[in-house]
Amino acid sequence: KGNRPFRRTGFSSPLGRGAILGSKKGVAHMASTQYSFERREEKYFLTPVQYEALLTPLRQHMHADEHEQYTICSLYCDTPDWQLIRTSLEKPYYKEKLRVRSYGTPTPDGRVFVELKKKVGGIVYKRRIALPAARADAFLRGEVSVPGQIAREISWFQRMYGAQPRVLIAYDRTAFAGVTEPGLRVTFDTGIRWRTDHLSLTAGDGGAPLLGDDRILMELKTPDACPLWLSRALSQAGARATSFSKYGTCYREHLEAGAQNHFKEALHSA
């Protein structure tokens, strides 16, 4: 796809610039970093009206994330036959994926995160290491070794699958963190876009729109149950939890037909 990787495709975010608390954008590097996560995640699609209805209770119980607004770029790795995402879409009890993530567009020496994300039942486990972008590429190709337990887990995964970059997905995120519930995070993603060419995080965050409407993707992340005040706010706003995967939606709606045709051609030529 010629999805213009070096610039955005003119998204107009329903949240607007600085819609939360005088937002900043394009964070290339995160000051406080967590390398291992265990939490529950729920997703909601909101209209702009529902989003506005949630702002008041959010501001009462949460504060804007340290970086407020930023762009996330995720490079999803998979096998040549898309084994990882095809398995994930079958909704097994256990599933896993490998991606490389940056906050903003990194330089070759800029920091990115190589992440192994697993879901067991309703619990999400994420393990990641930080590397310069160029070294992360070499690490995934097996050309360099990286010390540490998490790096060994990723290397084992790669020996099993040999996954390589297949899709880049980018979006603009506004994030809140709990005041009295430090493990609670609520994020809002807009301008979700994708591409399958120029598969490097250093090539910019441009791409084609994934959703094609003004829905806002809200993600609720918590180590425990959803706080009562937030459950009430979601109910009053008419928000309902949904099952949604950015990578899964991209594959199912934009890539699956082409992949199936490729498989058929390969079988006929065998």
Side-chain angles (χ1 to χ4, degrees), residues 78-86 161 166 251 259 262-263:
D78 213 322
T79 64
D81 63 354
W82 305 91
Q83 178 183 351
L84 297 173
I85 190 57
R86 288 190 295 107
Y161 295 106
R166 303 304 305 272
Y251 175 78
H262 176 76
F263 298 152

Side-chain angles (χ1 to χ4, degrees), residues 4 7 9-10 12 17 43 52 54 66 86 90 101 120 125 140 159 175 182 192 201 205 220 230 234 237 253 258 265:
R4 291 182 283 182
R7 63 184 178 86
T9 53
S12 177
R17 183 63 62 113
K43 298 177 181 179
E52 291 293 337
L54 286 170
E66 178 183 0
R86 288 190 295 107
E90 294 172 357
R101 171 166 287 188
V120 184
Y125 301 87
L140 289 178
R159 285 195 295 272
I192 305 173
L201 293 173
D205 64 10
L220 166 61
L230 184 51
L234 291 168
E253 297 188 2
E265 292 173 1

Side-chain angles (χ1 to χ4, degrees), residues 76 84 95-99 115-117 157 245 247:
Y76 287 89
L84 297 173
K95 58 185 178 181
E96 54 191 349
K97 67 179 69 171
L98 178 67
R99 67 190 180 196
E115 299 182 347
L116 191 59
K117 186 175 182 180
F157 179 96
S245 161
Y247 181 29

